[in-house]
Amino acid sequence: EVDAVFFLIAPPSLEDLERRLKGRETETPENVARRLEAARNEMAQVDLYDVVVVNETVDGTVERIVGELKSRGIVCEEGD
């Protein structure tokens, strides 16, 4: 048996995700559209995930994930 915790790392909004993707200037318009559609599909299936983390900041997102894992008895060591 494998114990797993499924996380959905979600943007604050689809508009914010689009702004971030375009702001990076690394994605073609087609890739931006594809990634936005993928995000819509993932967020529509939110009930498949154990935890939803809204990605406001990298540090905050990591802190929330580590905290969630620790609360479930999964130890996270520096460098793991």
Side-chain angles (χ1 to χ4, degrees):
E1 180 178 316
V2 175
D3 290 328
V5 180
F6 293 94
F7 288 88
L8 172 62
I9 311 300
S13 68
L14 289 173
E15 293 80 14
D16 192 60
L17 176 59
E18 183 174 13
R19 182 187 56 75
R20 290 177 181 185
L21 292 172
K22 288 180 177 179
R24 292 179 188 158
E25 297 181 355
T26 59
E27 303 289 334
T28 65
E30 295 80 14
N31 281 343
V32 170
R34 181 185 54 78
R35 291 188 61 182
L36 288 170
E37 183 62 26
R40 278 187 202 89
N41 291 335
E42 290 169 358
M43 292 192 310
Q45 299 180 50
V46 70
D47 57 319
L48 297 177
Y49 299 91
D50 299 310
V51 181
V52 177
V53 178
V54 177
N55 185 13
E56 297 280 353
T57 67
V58 173
D59 289 342
T61 299
V62 170
E63 186 176 306
R64 173 82 194 280
I65 293 168
V66 170
E68 190 67 39
L69 292 172
K70 285 182 177 180
S71 75
R72 294 167 184 260
I74 301 169
V75 178
C76 298
E77 297 292 331
E78 183 96 14
D80 279 357

